[in-house]
Amino acid sequence: MRRFCWNKLLLPAVLLLGGGAAAWAVNILTEGVDVGRTGWVQGDKSFTVQNVKNMKLLWKVQLDSKPREMHNLFPPLLVENVETPAGKKNIAVVVGVLDELYGLDANTGNTIWHVTYKTDYQPPKTSATLCPGGQTAVPVVVRGEKSGDWTVWAIGWDGYLRKMNVADGKELEAPEKFIPANGKPYALNYLNGVIYTSTAQGCGGLTNSTFAYDTKTRIATAFIPSGGGLWGRRGVGLSPDGESYMGTGDGVWDVENGHLGNGIIGVKLDKSGELQLNDFYAPKNAEYMFKRDLDVNVTPVSVDWKGHKLLIGTSKECRLWLLDRDNLGGDDHRTPLAQTPLLCNLNGNFAEEGVWGAISTYVDAKGDLYVVVPFFGPANPKYIGATHYAPAPKMGGGGVTTLKVTETGGKFGFTPVWTSEDIDHPDEAVILNGVIFVNGSGEDARQQWDDNYWDKTPEMLPKGPWSQQSNTRIHYSRHAVLVALDAATGKMLWSSGNQIASWNHFAGITAANGRVYIPSYDGMMYCFGVAK
């Protein structure tokens, strides 16, 4: 009988198969590329600074997935050389928000299988921009016992965890309850037989929590930080020893009374299999951030570098914190190893500026560690790096900035390297072999509007089955763009231009094996790439 506990292996997610990168057989098994959520596809040599200039649209496919509020498709997970009844296939596993899962041929876009989850759950008819309902978490893929066998774990609208065969989409076991229904879980993570996620914004009446599910014992456990929503795009980041990290979003920081809002928490399974608070950090201006709604809304990145166990975080406020995973924030839990000035958002804007997607990290051939930060709105002109192409992108745009992590005599710091040219609302970056791919989402990120003056004609908006905020933002969103940047200089090497007809929201990109995949709000999946 399955039990619930409600309380306060480093298997890499990127695997090289069949001869390594030369064979172009890299798997992307979790959102953010690996369990630490670095966004760095190590070992993939399919893209180079030279050949990326020749990228082209390889295929695009219209899926029958329907949107809900501003969500529709999510970026795929990639599994190469899957044993199927039709022989070995390279499969892209794609989520649709309305409890759908697709297995596409990663080379052609053809549908190999498509399932809609079976459930007795009756979802509510109403929704909202922040609480759309549906399937909002990117699944996670795990290697099976036999070569060529792969399992995908996914969580549906009903809160049930499903275990399915990547080869054909068939369920391998009966679904198990993981979290309450109608919540808003974020991308799943997996380590040593345990699946992790977090929920946010109180959707479905859920208390914002971080969750873990042991696939062997079938025990689920939760930790409640009694703060804001844990809504980092890439879901919880994990250290090699199984500590789970997440920003606590919009909430009060009051440790004495058990409130851990606007900070970063580290939780870990104890010997009894229950999640317990292990460490925590809050910036010294957490109260100001709470009052200005400048949430800690980004998945922290866990990375090991030159013997240091590091964690890197940021927020809508738009500054970086470098933390020691063994001692988050020092004795007072509020002193980072290093932090930057504001990289952007000098206006303290809670909606249209700041970091909204995911930061990434990579180590270059010299062994230097870099942080890649996509941001909305203008950059800080006093902190943009030696090379810059758009020191102050237009409002409504944004860019990418890269910083080098430094360490001298035990003292850490950040050095700005470059800032890209203007990109329309970039929210996620993936790094491969000296190339940085960026998703420019093209979405309208505004959450408030100027008052209509007496001589101003009210804006006429179409009616639709969305909440008012979604209706407005959908109407004024533009189109997504995929760009490739030189990781060393920030120079734009290639852009998809106007080839993508629609935009995306909280979606992102997946890149490996000479191909980059990007979904859009209208149900299209695009695949751009280079010749093998």
Side-chain angles (χ1 to χ4, degrees):
M1 190 76 179
R2 185 171 169 279
R3 297 181 290 122
F4 260 85
C5 297
W6 296 100
N7 286 338
K8 285 190 215 172
L9 107 32
L10 183 52
L11 291 177
V14 182
L15 297 177
L16 301 179
L17 307 175
W24 284 24
V26 175
N27 291 329
I28 306 296
L29 308 181
T30 188
E31 169 70 5
V33 178
D34 51 39
V35 297
R37 309 305 202 190
T38 67
W40 178 28
V41 187
Q42 299 186 49
D44 189 314
K45 306 295 183 183
S46 59
F47 288 106
T48 68
V49 172
Q50 292 73 35
N51 72 10
V52 75
K53 300 173 184 178
N54 300 317
M55 280 184 65
K56 61 182 180 180
L57 179 64
L58 301 180
W59 53 261
K60 61 180 179 180
V61 59
Q62 177 71 62
L63 301 179
D64 57 6
S65 176
K66 299 295 187 288
R68 186 169 175 86
E69 295 291 336
M70 296 182 71
H71 289 70
N72 196 342
L73 298 176
F74 291 79
L77 302 176
L78 303 178
V79 193
E80 300 280 296
N81 300 317
V82 179
E83 292 286 357
T84 76
K88 289 186 177 182
K89 296 286 186 180
N90 301 327
I91 296 181
V93 180
V94 180
V95 163
V97 67
L98 292 178
D99 271 358
E100 294 181 287
L101 199 64
Y102 298 83
L104 305 183
D105 186 316
N107 298 335
T108 66
N110 294 333
T111 298
I112 298 174
W113 52 264
H114 169 212
V115 297
T116 302
Y117 306 148
K118 297 179 180 179
T119 180
D120 295 327
Y121 173 67
Q122 296 296 319
K125 295 181 180 180
T126 59
S127 60
T129 304
L130 298 182
C131 295
Q135 181 178 207
T136 56
V138 175
V140 66
V141 172
V142 179
R143 184 191 288 275
E145 295 181 359
K146 298 180 181 179
S147 176
D149 288 349
W150 297 90
T151 298
V152 55
W153 293 88
I155 186 169
W157 198 346
D158 57 7
Y160 277 77
L161 192 62
R162 289 163 170 82
K163 180 181 181 182
M164 293 166 288
N165 188 353
V166 172
D168 54 18
K170 293 181 179 179
E171 289 188 349
L172 299 174
E173 297 177 359
E176 291 277 357
K177 190 71 173 180
F178 185 13
I179 67 172
N182 198 34
K184 192 179 183 182
Y186 286 80
L188 304 185
N189 211 340
Y190 176 92
L191 183 63
N192 296 335
V194 179
I195 295 172
Y196 298 84
T197 191
S198 64
T199 57
Q201 285 143 346
C203 298
L206 275 69
T207 302
N208 301 317
S209 308
T210 181
F211 295 85
Y213 176 89
D214 191 314
T215 60
K216 298 176 183 177
T217 65
R218 300 186 179 185
I219 293 176
T221 177
F223 175 79
I224 301 172
S226 188
L230 296 88
W231 57 290
R233 165 77 58 81
R234 287 174 169 167
V236 299
L238 293 170
S239 68
D241 63 354
E243 187 158 351
S244 168
Y245 300 97
M246 180 55 83
T248 53
D250 185 16
V252 175
W253 181 264
D254 182 6
V255 178
E256 289 75 14
N257 293 298
H259 302 300
L260 302 175
N262 265 309
I264 294 175
I265 59 170
V267 299
K268 194 173 183 180
L269 293 171
D270 63 16
K271 292 182 179 180
S272 65
E274 298 179 6
L275 281 175
Q276 303 289 354
L277 181 66
N278 192 56
D279 209 345
F280 53 88
Y281 164 78
K284 292 184 177 179
N285 64 340
E287 183 178 0
Y288 160 81
M289 293 171 62
F290 171 61
K291 291 179 178 179
R292 296 298 297 266
D293 195 18
L294 299 173
D295 306 1
V296 182
N297 61 328
V298 177
T299 296
V301 176
S302 172
V303 58
D304 292 346
W305 177 65
K306 294 185 177 180
H308 301 291
K309 300 177 181 179
L310 302 177
L311 191 72
I312 305 172
T314 188
S315 71
K316 290 195 291 186
E317 189 197 22
C318 202
R319 73 173 81 238
L320 292 181
W321 309 295
L322 182 67
L323 305 172
D324 179 352
R325 292 205 311 269
D326 286 337
N327 189 15
L328 295 183
D331 293 340
D332 65 353
H333 297 276
R334 308 197 75 168
T335 305
L337 296 175
Q339 71 174 26
T340 67
L342 293 177
L343 307 178
C344 64
N345 202 3
L346 299 182
N347 300 311
N349 189 332
F350 77 94
E352 182 71 4
E353 302 180 55
V355 183
W356 279 81
I359 59 174
S360 300
T361 63
Y362 73 96
V363 177
D364 70 3
K366 297 179 181 179
D368 293 326
L369 175 63
Y370 293 86
V371 187
V372 181
V373 185
F375 61 88
F376 290 3
N380 181 350
K382 296 182 180 180
Y383 198 77
I384 55 176
T387 303
H388 55 275
Y389 299 91
K394 61 186 179 182
M395 177 63 83
V400 175
T401 191
T402 291
L403 303 96
K404 180 180 178 180
V405 176
T406 60
E407 188 270 327
T408 303
K411 293 185 177 181
F412 290 84
F414 290 103
T415 300
V417 181
W418 53 257
T419 299
S420 74
E421 61 184 88
D422 190 43
I423 302 172
D424 192 353
H425 287 77
D427 66 357
E428 187 175 39
V430 176
I431 304 101
L432 302 88
N433 195 33
V435 178
I436 298 175
F437 290 104
V438 182
N439 170 44
S441 66
E443 70 165 304
D444 186 331
R446 292 173 291 180
Q447 295 185 37
Q448 65 180 8
W449 296 78
D450 294 333
D451 292 334
N452 284 323
Y453 297 104
W454 65 271
D455 60 347
K456 185 176 179 180
T457 302
E459 294 170 282
M460 302 301 293
L461 301 175
K463 295 181 179 180
W466 313 283
S467 64
Q468 182 56 40
Q469 189 185 97
S470 291
N471 192 21
T472 301
R473 292 171 63 181
I474 290 168
H475 181 69
Y476 286 100
S477 290
R478 298 158 296 276
H479 69 86
V481 61
L482 174 66
V483 301
L485 305 176
D486 185 329
T489 68
K491 181 180 179 181
M492 187 173 290
L493 303 173
W494 177 87
S495 169
S496 63
N498 296 321
Q499 295 185 75
I500 301 172
S502 187
W503 49 278
N504 57 51
H505 170 75
F506 266 48
I509 55 177
T510 305
N513 309 314
R515 300 182 293 268
V516 185
Y517 305 84
I518 179 170
S520 57
Y521 176 78
D522 58 359
M524 294 291 293
M525 180 64 69
Y526 294 81
C527 176
F528 296 90
V530 295
K532 188 169 180 179

